[in-house]
Amino acid sequence: MSEEDAGPGEWPVVVRVPVEPVEAAMEADALDAAVRHSALAVRGPLFGVAAHSEDDGRRWRVVVEVTHGCPQQARDALNSLLWFRAKDQATSRKERRALLAAVARLEKEYVDELTVLDIRYRVVRAEEYAAVDAHGDIEAPRPTDPEPLTPDWSPGAGARSPRVDDGLVLDPDAPLSPLQAAERVALRPLAYSGTRFPAPVLSDSARAVESHPDVLLMPAAFLIVERTGNGPWSPGSGLQATAHDARRTLDFALTWMEPRTRGLISYDADRTVDARHPAAGNTEAAVAELKEFAEAADRLRAGRCDEVEAHGTVYRIARSRRLLRWGPDGPEGPRPSDTTNHTPAALHPRLDEDGTVHFDEPE
């Protein structure tokens, strides 16, 4: 069956049975997770940018990570990507002129797709969701999810960590394991429902199932979620490429950010002052509160710990999943009902076609 002939729910999927030990372990791990966490909680859309050239076939390459909360944030990231490419990589005035023309459009228009130097750039839309169990608890990292051989907790380690979607190629024809294929086929009809969604959101969601009948599952990412008492889980961080990156982010939040947010440490204090290394002169109550944060953070460092509690709040490292809807022309872009929180604007100083940056000119 050709792609043109395939209707909704009929797009072919190539299944590869895992035979290598690592693949087989990951498949068994995924099966255990599917049994324990049999329901899904949909958080909402995320946006990024994918690129496509003539030789890519049906494959698209992610050039702006699909982690942004609204389409304009992804457009702004594309604006910066092209501006720096013009500044640092362009090899001729003609090439730089083409890149700067695209930047000029992105500074003034809500652009969801453009072609620059024979490369198509498209703002893409993914649906973020998580698996939950019968009690509503969100899935934590799996034993076979990537982890560093030696966890690095040192300051600045995050800058050396892989970025979400770095080098990711979106290939709808790539072979899948049996469970990946089952999940992909099962999620093809996914659409919003219920009275809490406005009518335009519901109609756009239903229309997307017809216009982009296939889905592509993106690699798992990780984030902090938190819950106080019997309340719902709420996100406490952005997406990270590995569970350890999320743990390190939580370590910083517990020892540095939370104490300052609660007034236990002044924002004017030296950056080295934190819950593990408090300044002298604190009250006994403040010392006790800081100690509880420090002990919770220390538990994170004692192995692959994915849940700690401090001051009545439970913090968990959660496993986030994303899917892109896919149609005959590739990944889905923003929907008319997707909202944005700001307008296009100039983000960088003027760059001329000779590569000179004019810092002294008004924006």
Side-chain angles (χ1 to χ4, degrees):
M1 180 184 294
S2 70
E3 177 183 317
E4 290 76 14
D5 295 334
E10 299 175 340
W11 287 45
V13 176
V14 179
V15 181
R16 183 191 66 227
V17 177
V19 292
E20 297 294 332
V22 173
E23 290 181 325
M26 294 177 66
E27 186 75 350
D29 201 8
L31 178 58
D32 290 342
V35 172
R36 292 193 307 268
H37 300 84
S38 57
L40 299 180
V42 178
R43 182 180 174 190
L46 293 172
F47 302 88
V49 178
H52 182 273
S53 61
E54 185 177 348
D55 297 331
D56 289 335
R58 293 221 300 158
R59 295 183 298 274
W60 289 67
R61 295 169 287 110
V62 174
V63 294
V64 171
E65 61 273 17
V66 188
T67 60
H68 297 276
C70 76
Q72 189 55 42
Q73 291 175 341
R75 297 182 196 113
D76 289 347
L78 177 59
N79 180 330
S80 290
L81 176 73
L82 298 178
W83 190 89
F84 280 104
R85 187 165 295 171
K87 174 179 174 291
D88 300 327
Q89 300 177 17
T91 58
S92 67
R93 297 178 72 185
K94 180 180 178 180
E95 185 177 334
R96 188 174 292 110
R97 195 180 301 123
L99 290 163
L100 292 176
V103 169
R105 283 193 63 194
L106 287 162
E107 290 176 343
K108 299 178 178 63
E109 304 174 29
Y110 295 96
V111 181
D112 290 328
E113 183 163 335
L114 49 77
T115 299
V116 188
L117 300 173
D118 299 324
I119 297 178
R120 293 171 67 191
Y121 295 92
R122 177 181 296 173
V123 177
V124 297
R125 181 191 197 277
E127 204 72 65
E128 185 185 10
Y129 63 101
V132 297
D133 65 15
H135 305 289
D137 283 335
I138 299 175
E139 182 184 11
R142 299 174 184 173
T144 50
D145 284 327
E147 296 276 2
L149 293 176
T150 304
D152 189 350
W153 300 93
S154 63
R160 300 188 293 272
S161 297
R163 297 186 62 176
V164 177
D165 300 335
D166 187 26
L168 179 62
V169 175
L170 305 172
D171 185 358
D173 301 316
L176 303 175
S177 74
L179 281 171
Q180 290 172 334
E183 182 177 1
R184 177 170 163 180
V185 172
L187 291 176
R188 282 174 173 173
L190 179 68
Y192 294 155
S193 62
T195 57
R196 70 187 185 95
F197 293 103
V201 172
L202 294 174
S203 60
D204 281 352
S205 183
R207 190 179 304 111
V209 175
E210 300 296 326
S211 63
H212 295 76
D214 200 10
V215 298
L216 187 147
L217 305 181
M218 302 183 70
F222 304 87
L223 75 158
I224 303 164
V225 294
E226 52 191 64
R227 178 170 67 183
T228 302
N230 296 321
W233 290 102
S234 60
S237 76
L239 295 184
Q240 305 287 335
T242 70
H244 178 67
D245 291 320
R247 294 186 199 105
R248 186 172 50 237
T249 300
L250 178 55
D251 181 273
F252 175 79
L254 291 171
T255 59
W256 200 94
M257 185 57 69
E258 280 292 333
R260 284 166 170 77
T261 301
R262 295 178 179 233
L264 301 172
I265 298 175
S266 170
Y267 281 104
D268 296 329
D270 188 273
R271 286 189 59 85
T272 60
V273 176
D274 61 17
R276 290 191 179 97
H277 310 93
N282 286 325
T283 64
E284 288 188 14
V287 169
E289 289 190 60
L290 290 171
K291 182 180 179 182
E292 185 167 346
F293 278 126
E295 289 176 345
D298 288 343
R299 289 194 293 275
L300 283 174
R301 299 192 177 197
R304 294 186 180 182
C305 178
D306 292 321
E307 183 172 305
V308 296
E309 182 174 355
H311 297 295
T313 297
V314 177
Y315 302 89
R316 171 176 290 183
I317 306 304
R319 191 177 198 272
S320 172
R321 292 143 83 173
R322 295 165 294 160
L323 66 84
L324 282 161
R325 297 212 70 91
W326 204 274
D329 192 39
E332 182 187 15
R335 299 173 184 173
S337 57
D338 289 327
T339 58
T340 195
N341 55 21
H342 62 284
T343 58
L347 305 177
H348 303 283
R350 186 173 74 84
L351 177 69
D352 65 29
E353 59 185 27
D354 294 314
T356 302
V357 180
H358 298 265
F359 292 102
D360 54 346
E361 293 186 7
E363 294 184 0

